Amino acid sequence: MSNQAKLELDGKTYVLPTLTGSENEKAVDISALRANTGYITIDDGYGNTGSCTSNITFIDGDQGILRYRGIPIEELAEKSNFVETAFLIIYGELPTRAQLKWFSDLFTANQYLHEDMTYHFQGFPSGAHPMAILSAMINAASCYDEDLMHWQWGKNQQFDIYVARLLSQVRTIAAYSYRKSKGLPPIYPKQSYKYTANLLHMMFSNPYEDFELKPEVVKALDLIFLLHADHEQNCSTSTVRMVASSQANLFASCAAGVCALWGPLHGGANQAVIEMLQQIHKEGDDGSKFITAAKDRNSGKKLMGFGHRVYKNYDPRAKIIKKACDEVLLKLNINDPLLDIAKRLEEAALKDPYFVERKLYPNVDFYSGIIMRAIGIPVEMFTVMFAIGRMPGWIANYKEIMEEPKSRIYRPRQIYTGHTLNHYVPLEDRK
Ligand code: CMC
């Protein structure tokens, strides 16, 4: 079988090389297309465009498969935790006991923000969205480090320290953003707490009393982080790679990722799902009115938490989260009417020809909001939790682009559809 593609254009035949990935994914290599033919390709939304080769995460959207460095998400969800999975994603292998200790110690050593950063927090109005604060403050954090300000990959920086600093400080910044939005003073991280427990402590403790850390709550949040840790070339990760391709520093690149994640079609969907369920509940709808509206393009409504560009099957993360959601609600003895609405919506949508024909299944965000609500995470912090979880993926993609010797600045082309040559008309002559 030929491993070359043939393209006929303007009466000429061009031969294009092809590429096959380790899971047999196939691509036509068009790197030399414009130089050889004068043509570019158009692919609105990049649905058919591979922007890179990568060995971090594999997704088979038709089969509902997700693997980090080859390991199925189901195995990691059952046996690993967020910090260990972060190491796997960033460094490519599961850590040894010694490596894990080194990694955790680096987190602890790098968890404090520069004290002057507290003044920046004060500058935000109360009620500012924590995602705005998060991206601004990740970027601001880079101003406190000479090496980050004069970043040159491979020259003077110890990348491992910046990895740990970003992963550790994103949690501190997230907690401070929340406390700022509530007008509360910051709570410092505690040496003895592990990653996820420390975040909950910084968010919910007060200066006189530590927050009670229920093991099932810590475990549920850690699982949410792990399930979000990477997802190949999605909108935010591609943004990180885009910014990184200009040789911007790690913090600046990941701050851009936070902005891309914020939108309701991406990470902001977890907040949008809860708002949708609350609206359905308030209106006393059993879900059927909302489903009818979601099928009508002109209604401006969508069934949030449903559909995915890549998954044309059940999102494997949604399966895990749905089960965890049932367990946590049972353990915490919570009866959430929104969970009942969500289950009814899912059942109705999965039988409805509109959703069936378009292969629209629940995605990770459909149930993650309910579980976060149950463990006491405020709704405006949902997408921030997604950002903390996604940080290892962004860092690994940043590292991959920096380590690629042939890496070029990302610079797509366009087909121009505006005016042809036009001329300046003085103001007094304009009609
Ligand atoms: N509700 C109703 N209709 C939908 C939905 C939905 N949630 N999602 C897609 N469709 C329809 C869409 O209108 C289109 O219909 P038609 O064929 O008649 O034009 C068809 O299904 C194909 O959808 P698309 O918009 O071309 O799909 P896309 O790949 O461009 O968008 C998506 C993917 C996730 C943005 C979209 O499904 C969506 O907006 N879902 C709701 C938001 C959401 O849950 N986002 C979280 C994604 S998972 C977390 C993450 O990784 O970001």
Side-chain angles (χ1 to χ4, degrees):
M1 204 169 64
S2 159
N3 57 354
Q4 291 178 326
K6 280 198 184 137
L7 176 70
E8 277 192 20
L9 275 176
D10 303 331
K12 276 194 186 163
T13 304
Y14 299 91
V15 175
L16 302 168
T18 60
L19 211 72
T20 306
S22 52
E23 287 286 348
N24 216 22
E25 292 175 297
K26 296 183 191 310
V28 177
D29 181 348
I30 56 154
S31 324
L33 185 70
R34 186 170 176 279
N36 291 343
T37 68
Y39 280 77
I40 61 165
T41 55
I42 278 282
D43 184 18
D44 185 30
Y46 304 138
N48 304 282
T49 298
S51 60
C52 59
T53 58
S54 174
N55 55 29
I56 304 166
T57 289
F58 171 68
I59 299 177
D60 182 330
D62 296 321
Q63 310 275 344
I65 290 173
L66 167 63
R67 298 182 198 138
Y68 300 155
R69 302 286 187 181
I71 305 181
I73 192 69
E74 294 80 4
E75 272 178 47
L76 291 166
E78 193 193 330
K79 298 176 182 161
S80 184
N81 59 46
F82 177 61
V83 170
E84 184 184 56
T85 297
F87 185 101
L88 167 75
I89 289 174
I90 296 166
Y91 295 107
E93 301 287 345
L94 284 169
T96 61
R97 204 178 286 274
Q99 284 171 326
L100 194 55
K101 180 172 183 322
W102 164 81
F103 199 44
S104 303
D105 288 350
L106 263 190
F107 277 39
T108 309
N110 286 282
Q111 63 192 349
Y112 291 104
L113 300 179
H114 193 291
E115 199 55 30
D116 290 355
M117 291 249 314
T118 50
Y119 297 112
H120 291 278
F121 282 101
Q122 284 167 22
F124 289 99
S126 58
H129 197 288
M131 283 296 274
I133 304 181
L134 187 72
S135 80
M137 295 306 276
I138 290 174
N139 221 347
S142 66
C143 302
Y144 292 89
D145 189 292
E146 199 51 28
D147 270 355
L148 280 173
M149 283 292 92
H150 304 102
W151 187 257
Q152 238 186 318
W153 179 256
K155 283 279 172 351
N156 43 355
Q157 307 88 1
Q158 283 183 277
F159 187 64
D160 298 335
I161 291 181
Y162 291 105
V163 167
R165 188 173 298 169
L166 184 50
L167 280 169
S168 198
Q169 291 188 357
V170 66
R171 178 184 57 160
T172 315
I173 294 172
Y176 279 26
S177 329
Y178 167 66
R179 293 187 70 86
K180 164 70 200 167
S181 73
K182 296 280 163 220
L184 297 167
I187 296 285
Y188 288 92
K190 247 191 186 178
Q191 199 92 349
S192 56
Y193 285 162
K194 289 201 175 357
Y195 190 88
T196 302
N198 224 342
L199 169 67
L200 289 165
H201 159 70
M202 287 190 280
M203 280 176 76
F204 300 125
S205 289
N206 66 53
Y208 315 105
E209 197 182 10
D210 276 2
F211 175 70
E212 185 199 346
L213 291 164
K214 292 194 180 135
E216 51 272 36
V217 168
V218 178
K219 193 170 162 227
L221 188 56
D222 199 80
L223 175 70
I224 288 174
F225 291 155
L226 184 152
L227 293 176
H228 286 88
D230 193 37
H231 214 233
E232 56 121 293
Q233 305 311 315
N234 52 79
C235 175
S236 56
T237 303
S238 301
T239 301
V240 171
R241 284 186 89 114
M242 172 75 80
V243 178
S245 78
S246 76
Q247 304 284 316
N249 76 54
L250 177 70
F251 280 50
S253 304
C254 291
V258 173
C259 295
L261 187 73
W262 192 359
L265 298 190
H266 192 10
N270 51 19
Q271 178 170 344
V273 168
I274 287 293
E275 287 162 357
M276 169 187 81
L277 295 175
Q278 280 169 331
Q279 191 197 335
I280 293 174
H281 185 52
K282 200 168 111 197
E283 288 173 0
D285 175 14
D286 63 355
S288 50
K289 265 203 269 168
F290 195 91
I291 290 204
T292 306
K295 293 191 287 186
D296 173 8
R297 259 179 180 268
N298 301 322
S299 72
K301 290 194 173 143
K302 271 184 167 183
L303 186 53
M304 298 312 287
F306 254 72
H308 201 275
R309 172 65 59 81
V310 181
Y311 293 121
K312 300 301 167 200
N313 200 326
Y314 221 107
D315 177 340
R317 303 166 300 172
K319 268 192 201 158
I320 299 169
I321 246 177
K322 186 181 179 186
K323 187 163 165 275
C325 197
D326 282 336
E327 285 167 11
V328 167
L329 264 65
L330 193 70
K331 276 201 184 133
L332 299 178
N333 204 15
I334 294 174
N335 197 351
D336 189 345
L338 298 194
L339 179 65
D340 298 334
I341 295 175
K343 285 187 170 166
R344 275 205 305 275
L345 273 182
E346 178 188 340
E347 209 178 302
L350 291 178
K351 281 196 290 213
D352 189 306
Y354 174 95
F355 293 90
V356 175
E357 278 158 23
R358 290 169 179 75
K359 298 189 176 162
L360 301 171
Y361 289 86
N363 59 51
V364 68
D365 290 321
F366 197 64
Y367 287 105
S368 67
I370 295 175
I371 199 168
M372 284 197 267
R373 207 167 109 97
I375 62 174
I377 306 293
V379 80
E380 68 277 14
M381 288 295 284
F382 286 5
T383 314
V384 171
M385 297 299 131
F386 191 154
I388 297 175
R390 184 53 55 85
M391 203 51 82
W394 290 340
I395 295 171
N397 275 275
Y398 183 92
K399 184 165 176 278
E400 196 168 70
I401 217 170
M402 291 295 156
E403 286 174 347
E404 168 56 56
K406 286 190 279 173
S407 151
R408 302 167 76 197
I409 190 164
Y410 280 23
R411 202 322 185 168
R413 296 233 173 213
Q414 63 167 21
I415 294 292
Y416 174 68
T417 57
H419 283 293
T420 52
L421 180 64
N422 201 358
H423 293 287
Y424 181 82
V425 179
L427 190 54
E428 57 275 20
D429 296 342
R430 285 179 222 159
K431 291 198 186 97

